[in-house]
Amino acid sequence: MIDGRKWTKLAAFALATSALIGYAAVATAEDETLGTRHGASWLFPGQGARAIALQAFSPLAAGVPAITTNPAGLGGSTDTELAIFTQDSPLDIRRNAFGVALGYVGGENGSLGISWRNVSVGDSDDAPFELTDLQGNTHGSLGYASNAVDLAYGHKVSDEFQFGLAVGMLFDKFDGVDEDYPDDASASGFGGVTLGVQGLIADTLHYGLSARNLGGKLGEGETEPIISAGVAVTYPSYDGVLMAAEIEQMLVNLINAGGESTRLVKFGVEYSINPVCLRLGTSQSSDRSAWYTGIGVNFGSLALDYAYQLSNQAASSLAEVPRHFVSIGYQY
């Protein structure tokens, strides 16, 4: 049973989350670098700096970051968790997220999660985002924003198995110089269904499977379905050592760079020396190579995580742009 004070706190967080979503900017334009004009692709990366640093995260997802990566990770949560996430980029690409996971919903083995994600692009000195006519004359700055709201539920069947389900909505907006500019556009749509399972074998082998963005649609475009399968191993003889591996497949044909590979192989390593965790991760395909590092610090109920993109090399990349990722989580 949850006492009255606990329910009061849960209600307060739910109201605060609803208010935040209500005031969030409505947004997104379609990504036409994909074969069938798929949309909202920038919203897909894992939520949270730990997920960014490790890359291979499907078998490890828990709490708020599980909402958008593998909702099975919500199962069995006994706490309420509040988390925020932000990404910095010199190209003026801003990405932020906010989420709440509510433990003990639908019984002590169930947990409910809700999150809001936002990506926006504005004008910058490195990559000007401007309206230019056929004669090359500049008429002002452009703006783009993409938002997603996700609702997820995870359930713990036993200590060795749990499953989860998430659904989402997408909102996109492209702004011209003024309200009369004919190419101003906005769109909204169903973000799709995400299914996931997680399990534990012999107390040391964690596994996770997820299928994300199934049946999603934004305006005239579709969201890219993504399937992930991964494992993570802990070593009892080496307390604090964790290694993870994952294969991720995007079910769409990319037309940029002559058909870039849509299959990624990811690896991650974490070493914990309480209260500090050190991380290293990589994501590799036949066309792309990215490396990340990170650190996490736990102060009781407060968790601070930081990730840094060491490199991102691909034939179709704008440049090798280092990025900073920060997330803060609080449980009670």
Side-chain angles (χ1 to χ4, degrees), residues 192-274:
V193 176
T194 294
L195 304 173
V197 298
Q198 282 184 342
L200 178 64
I201 300 175
D203 295 328
T204 59
L205 179 64
H206 302 257
Y207 67 86
L209 303 169
S210 68
R212 308 196 299 273
N213 316 317
L214 303 177
K217 188 174 179 65
L218 177 63
E220 297 178 358
E222 299 175 354
T223 58
E224 301 95 325
I226 299 174
I227 297 176
S228 298
V231 295
V233 181
T234 55
Y235 295 89
S237 301
Y238 301 93
D239 189 31
V241 177
L242 180 149
M243 299 183 67
E246 181 176 336
I247 297 177
E248 180 177 280
Q249 177 69 56
M250 183 186 296
L251 303 181
V252 64
N253 292 321
L254 297 177
I255 63 174
N256 59 317
E260 185 175 327
S261 174
T262 57
R263 180 176 299 167
L264 293 173
V265 179
K266 303 179 177 182
F267 299 96
V269 179
E270 181 178 74
Y271 179 57
S272 300
I273 311 173
N274 193 41

Side-chain angles (χ1 to χ4, degrees), residues 164-191:
L165 166 72
V167 295
M169 291 294 296
L170 301 175
F171 308 92
D172 278 20
K173 186 173 179 62
F174 180 86
D175 292 322
V177 175
D178 54 48
E179 295 181 355
D180 297 326
Y181 182 59
D183 285 342
D184 279 12
S186 62
S188 62
F190 177 56

Side-chain angles (χ1 to χ4, degrees), residues 88-150:
D88 172 69
S89 170
L91 296 181
D92 204 26
I93 300 173
R94 298 174 295 274
R95 179 167 171 246
N96 300 284
F98 172 85
V100 177
L102 306 174
Y104 285 126
V105 174
E108 64 179 22
N109 291 325
S111 183
L112 184 69
I114 185 168
S115 74
W116 164 74
R117 292 174 289 161
N118 167 266
V119 174
S120 62
V121 181
D123 191 24
S124 73
D125 294 334
D126 295 321
F129 195 30
E130 300 173 332
L131 171 64
T132 304
D133 60 25
L134 295 177
Q135 288 72 43
N137 301 311
T138 300
H139 296 278
S141 299
L142 301 177
Y144 168 82
S146 183
N147 290 269
V149 178
D150 300 277

Side-chain angles (χ1 to χ4, degrees), residues 5-26:
R5 288 175 297 177
K6 184 75 170 181
W7 277 117
T8 300
K9 291 180 179 179
L10 297 183
F13 269 113
L15 290 173
T17 304
S18 299
L20 178 62
I21 293 170
Y23 285 104
V26 174

